[in-house]
Amino acid sequence: MVGIGYTLLCEQSGPRELVRYARLAEQAGFDFAVISDHTFPWLDSQGHAPYAWSVLGAVAEATERIGLMTYVTCPTMRYHPAIVAQKAATVQLLCEGRFTLGLGAGENLNEHVVGRDWPPVNVRHDMLAEAIDIIGALFDGGYVNRVGRHYQIDSARLWDLPDTRVPIATAVSGPASVSRFAPRSDAMIAVEPNGELCRGWDDAGGTGGRKIGQQPVSWDTDEPTARARAHDQFRWFAGGWKVNAELPGTAAFAAATQFVTPDDVAGNIPCGPDEQRIGDAVAGFADAGFTDVALCQIGDENQERFLSMAGATLLPALRGGTR
């Protein structure tokens, strides 16, 4: 059975709302909750970008059962990997073993705020690989000293380590990133139901770990409203990650997606009241080999209604195998 998660999307909700939605997601019966880690929304109409790690601390105290995960944090420019390791270990202690550290190579949208040049993808992958090695060494305990190509670590140590080691999940998009990060990671992250990624991950040494996907949805009792909301706030999704990783701000995303139509968006995102469409999308991930799928309800204004619906009908249907 595929684990069903809920997305705490920092780009569309404020911090107090995100904590409330996490509590409601747990009550609805979601298996886990993932949280984005942004300094910018994708589009101005989303309108938010609270600090994900502060929200995680509050969510850890506000919930008891639901798994927690970053989806994803970039440990290379905006954050030093040693600091990411400290944050992850602290969250794991606060939530008593429910946390997974999701990592990725980042987007210019978020990392540009520290005033460094945005490197090409091969350099970003080098930086991420080195960062994961540092984080893993700190999770092992003791002092860490090293001088690498991108980072220097001087007598770093995590003084508060959880009994349950923080699992590391890494975002991938193709064969190069799969072969690079599968041996370094406990789980795989991808946002498309691509079976080749899952098979490649297993072949590269990631056998047995979770494979965690994400599916945006725009549920609403009125389909035109759902389609309009998805187009207004999620048309950036049409660009694909190779484009999305490069654009520097909301104006760039608005310009890049100015010709994306509501029909284009609705062709890739389930919109409206038909829960079967959501089930079909989840089934696509399951058929590709994913073990978990986090649903991302678009728009802040309809989150509580979506969560109520999910607890009453959607989650039971998904767990019953409805397609």
Side-chain angles (χ1 to χ4, degrees):
M1 182 182 296
V2 175
I4 305 298
Y6 171 75
T7 300
L8 300 165
L9 197 68
C10 287
E11 302 93 287
Q12 67 182 17
S13 300
R16 295 182 66 85
E17 289 76 20
L18 290 167
V19 175
R20 185 170 74 253
Y21 300 153
R23 188 185 304 114
L24 292 173
E26 180 173 73
Q27 293 171 2
F30 281 92
D31 299 306
F32 64 102
V34 305
I35 188 168
S36 59
D37 187 354
H38 275 233
T39 59
F40 266 62
W42 299 100
L43 295 165
D44 286 350
S45 58
Q46 291 179 310
H48 291 276
Y51 185 52
W53 292 90
S54 297
V55 175
L56 274 170
V59 168
E61 289 298 297
T63 58
E64 297 179 354
R65 173 197 57 81
I66 195 168
L68 303 176
M69 178 180 177
T70 48
Y71 202 101
V72 293
T73 283
C74 178
T76 63
M77 294 178 64
R78 185 166 38 118
Y79 306 136
H80 190 283
I83 304 306
V84 172
Q86 183 189 30
K87 293 192 287 191
T90 300
V91 171
Q92 185 74 310
L93 286 165
L94 287 170
C95 70
E96 298 181 306
R98 294 182 279 136
F99 181 64
T100 296
L101 176 62
L103 299 174
E107 300 99 12
N108 194 10
L109 175 72
N110 301 301
E111 306 307 311
H112 79 272
V113 298
V114 296
R116 295 174 59 182
D117 292 335
W118 185 235
V121 66
N122 62 312
V123 176
R124 301 200 301 265
H125 283 180
D126 286 344
M127 295 172 73
L128 179 58
E130 190 174 326
I132 292 173
D133 291 343
I134 290 168
I135 292 168
L138 287 164
F139 286 168
D140 288 339
Y143 288 95
V144 175
N145 295 276
R146 63 176 65 192
V147 177
R149 180 180 175 187
H150 300 286
Y151 305 105
Q152 179 173 332
I153 305 298
D154 182 11
S155 301
R157 177 182 174 181
L158 299 180
W159 288 89
D160 290 277
L161 272 173
D163 293 333
T164 301
R165 183 187 177 95
V166 180
I168 294 175
T170 306
V172 297
S173 59
S177 54
V178 165
S179 62
R180 189 76 176 273
F181 299 119
R184 290 179 161 88
S185 309
D186 303 296
M188 183 190 91
I189 294 171
V191 295
E192 297 180 357
N194 186 335
E196 292 184 5
L197 293 178
C198 295
R199 291 187 291 273
W201 185 270
D202 290 342
D203 292 342
T207 302
R210 297 169 69 194
K211 299 175 181 70
I212 306 152
Q214 186 180 55
Q215 177 61 51
V217 302
S218 185
W219 179 87
D220 198 290
T221 54
D222 181 71
E223 184 166 342
T225 298
R227 290 164 63 97
R229 183 189 303 120
H231 179 257
D232 177 55
Q233 296 198 21
F234 243 72
R235 65 185 182 275
W236 61 269
F237 199 70
W241 289 105
K242 290 186 178 180
V243 173
N244 292 345
E246 306 299 333
L247 299 180
T250 56
F253 278 94
T257 58
Q258 61 182 310
F259 299 116
V260 176
T261 69
D263 286 343
D264 294 331
V265 175
N268 293 292
I269 296 174
C271 296
D274 188 353
E275 297 171 29
Q276 189 68 47
R277 296 183 191 176
I278 301 174
D280 290 343
V282 170
F285 278 95
D287 292 345
F290 285 76
T291 62
D292 301 84
V293 180
L295 301 179
C296 179
Q297 166 68 7
I298 298 170
D300 179 75
E301 66 272 21
N302 213 30
Q303 293 296 318
E304 293 191 18
R305 292 176 63 212
F306 169 76
L307 288 165
S308 177
M309 176 278 297
T313 59
L314 178 62
L315 291 177
L318 293 176
R319 289 171 180 143
T322 299
R323 299 183 55 153

